Amino acid sequence: MAEPTIEQVKQMRTAVLGAAAKVPGALIGLGILFIVLGMVGIAGQTLFSFVSINVLGAFLIVGGILQGVHALKSHGWKSVGIQAILAILYIAAGLYTWAFPIPALEVITLWLAAIFFVTGFLRLVSAFQHRLFSEWFWLVLSSAISILLGVMIMNSFPSSSLWLPGLLIAVELLLQGWSMLFLGLAARSLTK
């Protein structure tokens, strides 16, 4: 089989990267933002853990209020009662998170383990979809590190729940930032 021409490789990159090929600056900018946020998180792991759990609590409360308002305005919809119960559960979960941050951090630690396993697997799938590009190695590396982080969480639970969520979120932001940066650079090379 003959090697593809430069023009064919560019067409394949455009087809694989899709809309990202049209706005590489957005990927590069998001990558840099995520890298900076990840470095801030690594500098203050425990603080980042408590900030993260408080932000989650706020999102749960706001989401519950919005869902409750929606349920009250949806007369005649068959699942209004279910939506109202879900709204109450969201608000209760948000208040619990604020009132009891340490148990909430322990739960978040277990959720993070699951998230790292899933994102690692999905990045591995994405890496194989992008294997025609030299940058695909970074997706494989990012995948392997995410899966390894999931294993580390399970091995150190629950003693490290105070600092581990902040550290892992920071590392995940760094990995995602570098992945986005390199994909943005690959997309930008299409325009040259």
Side-chain angles (χ1 to χ4, degrees):
M1 182 171 189
E3 289 290 317
T5 65
I6 293 174
E7 190 57 39
Q8 288 172 327
V9 170
K10 283 186 177 183
Q11 288 174 351
M12 285 188 285
R13 281 185 177 206
T14 301
V16 171
L17 293 173
K22 297 176 184 171
V23 286
L27 276 176
I28 293 169
L30 281 173
I32 291 170
L33 175 65
F34 281 15
I35 291 167
V36 169
L37 288 174
M39 291 184 339
V40 168
I42 286 176
Q45 299 152 8
T46 302
L47 177 63
F48 212 61
S49 290
F50 281 100
V51 167
S52 298
I53 201 70
N54 283 316
V55 168
L56 175 65
F59 282 155
L60 287 169
I61 291 169
V62 170
I65 291 169
L66 292 175
Q67 186 154 1
V69 168
H70 173 70
L72 292 175
K73 290 185 176 186
S74 299
H75 299 292
W77 189 30
K78 290 184 179 184
S79 62
V80 169
I82 292 172
Q83 296 304 315
I85 291 170
L86 287 173
I88 292 167
L89 288 174
Y90 278 130
I91 293 169
L95 292 173
Y96 178 85
T97 299
W98 279 355
F100 305 103
I102 293 173
L105 280 171
E106 289 174 351
V107 170
I108 294 298
T109 302
L110 292 176
W111 285 352
L112 283 170
I115 289 168
F116 280 113
F117 285 125
V118 171
T119 58
F121 173 74
L122 293 176
R123 280 202 193 110
L124 189 60
V125 169
S126 178
F128 283 106
Q129 290 174 341
H130 293 85
R131 68 183 176 273
L132 295 175
F133 313 122
S134 61
E135 295 85 0
W136 81 287
F137 166 78
W138 295 105
L139 290 172
V140 172
L141 180 62
S142 174
S143 170
I145 292 172
S146 289
I147 292 169
L148 179 64
L149 289 172
V151 170
M152 287 172 45
I153 291 172
M154 296 309 294
N155 285 337
S156 63
F157 182 79
S159 63
S160 58
S161 292
L162 288 177
W163 59 269
L164 192 60
L167 174 65
L168 294 176
I169 290 170
V171 169
E172 176 65 15
L173 285 169
L174 281 171
L175 293 173
Q176 188 64 21
W178 283 109
S179 295
M180 293 174 93
L181 177 64
F182 284 115
L183 283 174
L185 292 172
R188 190 176 68 180
S189 71
L190 290 174
T191 59
K192 291 182 180 181

